[in-house]
Amino acid sequence: MSFRKDFLWGGATAANQYEGGYLSGGKGLATLDAITGGSKDQPRMITFKTKDGEIKEVTREEALPVGAVGYVDPDKYYPSHVATDFYHHYEEDIALFAEMGFKCFRMSISWARICPKGTDEINEAGLAFYDAVFDELLKYGIEPVVTINHFDIPMYLADELDGWNNRKTVDYFIFFCETIFKRYKDKVKYWMTFNEINFLRSWTQIGIHQNDNQHRYQAIHHLFVASAKAVILGHEINPDFQIGMMVAYIPSYPMTSNPEDVMAALEFNRGQEFFIDVQVKGTYPAHKLKWFEREKIVIQKETDDDEILKKGTVDYIGFSYYMSTASSANPENVKYVGGNQQPAVKNPYLEESEWGWAVDPLGLRISLCKLYDRYQIPLFIVENGFGAVDVVKEDGSIDDDYRIDYFKKHIAAMKDAVTLDGVDLIGYTPWGCIDLVSAGTGEMKKRYGFIYVDLDDHGNGTLERSRKKSFYWYKDVIATNGENLD
């Protein structure tokens, strides 16, 4: 057998894309509740009010004016408000996960459901909801894998404190962590602090109103400290907790063998590895400190921050892998295609999905080897998947062979990393195991799931669940522990 006997096969989701239950059960507003839908050609927008009360919007990547606050316009459609409604369908959905044979289920807890403002006010109804979810998972022997914070922040903290730019947010986050660690210490073993921490960069995700490097990296420092403090606290509450970090890993190849392109690829990869270095090694890498000097970025630290970072290193690396890219010393001369949260350079040796994402199964093996060689701690692939338009046939069936082909090649690559390269891989949770709202575009038609949800881009549909062809294929993969991929 190539994979360990206790390998964690499962699937992955996020509260803001899947849970729904907007304001239900005492939940507070989060930043993503003010983000509209979009498409691959139309960006998602933030709706907000200025200091003068004007209602405006900017793209989700842009900075909000200082003093502006998030605003939910009753005349607009916001995909997160219902998403695909796990809030009201969790028993049905978990039964389907169990039918597939899931060993684990990666999900996130909505901070604003537990602490409506993100402060030290606790919403018991929110805690009770996740109790019910975890109990339902454990009933089927499914291990919860919980992302503590996935791409949003309670809107109050963004509007009143400027989000993660304010040191007080660290304290409020640790209060949130302490609340859930104590409440669920006998139900949840696997945790991750921040989802795709290398992509956190604007009001949308971290509540900051200024996106320049000084403000962004100050906020990131606070995220690092919060992650380390959470690890330390979690291990004190339950020494058996396994607490990891999570990064979006996109390996970059040199566009050519020109040493300048090789250096460009090295610098691109360093940009991702910086986030892992701090959380795994507990220190800022020298190259980043030199970059701070050149850019005149000054990180404000409290006296014990460096000690906290060294003490609060993670137990494993969780990462997403969807695609690879390439780097050139002359970026103006290359062609760009779509990508996960950022454009990517077109690689002439690879095909792309309908949304322009490079399909590179071998890149997953390369990523596993690079990460394990560099860090020597367990790895967990917590996102990997293929967004595509699915067609429901007259008899209700969905033949998504393109998705099966994608997963077959990627699982074969990770099997090689385990059996040939000796990588310590603990699990695999494909992204959007059930259809959910696309984070990048806010669409429903860009589907990832093994389970179809009847909902369109405008919120119309019955929310009825149905099994795709890939559902039965993945069920067999899990039953054979990855041995049967045909």
Side-chain angles (χ1 to χ4, degrees), residues 1 31 53 69 83 107-108 154 177 223 242 250 273 276 355 368 376 382 401 409-410 440 451 471:
M1 301 289 284
T31 47
V69 297
M107 53 177 280
S108 68
C177 289
L223 289 162
Q242 293 292 298
I250 303 171
E273 290 156 358
I276 313 175
W355 274 263
L368 287 163
Q376 291 291 299
V382 295
D401 294 284
K409 291 174 180 175
H410 283 76
I451 300 165
F471 178 101

Side-chain angles (χ1 to χ4, degrees), residues 132-146:
V133 169
F134 296 144
D135 288 345
E136 195 71 13
L137 288 166
L138 294 171
K139 181 176 83 174
Y140 291 103
I142 300 173
E143 189 90 50
V145 177
V146 174

Side-chain angles (χ1 to χ4, degrees), residues 175-200:
F175 175 83
F176 167 52
C177 289
E178 182 176 12
T179 301
I180 60 177
F181 284 161
K182 287 182 175 178
R183 179 76 169 223
Y184 308 125
K185 68 183 176 66
D186 298 320
K187 297 181 180 182
V188 179
K189 176 182 177 181
Y190 292 94
W191 304 85
M192 279 172 282
T193 51
F194 297 100
N195 180 73
E196 292 188 332
I197 190 169
N198 52 321
F199 284 162
L200 303 183

Side-chain angles (χ1 to χ4, degrees), residues 228-356:
K229 283 190 167 189
V231 172
I232 295 165
L233 175 67
H235 287 156
E236 289 172 354
I237 291 171
N238 186 344
D240 292 330
F241 279 170
Q242 293 292 298
I243 308 175
M245 58 155 297
M246 199 288 202
V247 67
Y249 200 71
I250 303 171
S252 184
Y253 313 133
M255 199 68 188
T256 70
S257 56
N258 182 333
E260 292 186 355
D261 286 354
V262 175
M263 190 66 205
L266 184 149
E267 290 177 343
F268 180 95
N269 291 320
R270 270 180 171 175
Q272 302 171 100
E273 290 156 358
F274 155 66
F275 292 87
I276 313 175
D277 288 347
V278 177
Q279 294 180 92
V280 174
K281 298 179 179 181
T283 58
Y284 278 74
H287 67 81
K288 202 66 177 182
L289 296 176
K290 286 294 184 182
W291 183 78
F292 287 164
E293 287 180 15
R294 293 194 299 276
E295 297 296 316
K296 296 181 171 50
I297 295 169
V298 179
I299 304 298
Q300 299 296 325
K301 296 182 180 181
E302 294 193 357
T303 53
D304 59 349
D305 280 3
D306 289 338
E307 182 182 345
I308 290 168
L309 293 179
K310 287 179 181 177
K311 187 178 178 183
T313 54
V314 295
D315 299 312
Y316 66 91
I317 298 169
F319 71 101
S320 62
Y321 175 83
Y322 293 98
M323 51 175 283
S324 60
T325 186
S327 294
S328 169
N330 300 293
E332 67 280 359
N333 295 332
V334 298
K335 181 179 179 181
Y336 289 88
V337 293
N340 181 18
Q341 305 290 324
Q342 62 184 32
V345 172
K346 181 175 178 59
N347 186 328
Y349 297 98
L350 301 175
E351 295 180 350
E352 290 119 27
S353 74
E354 185 177 342
W355 274 263

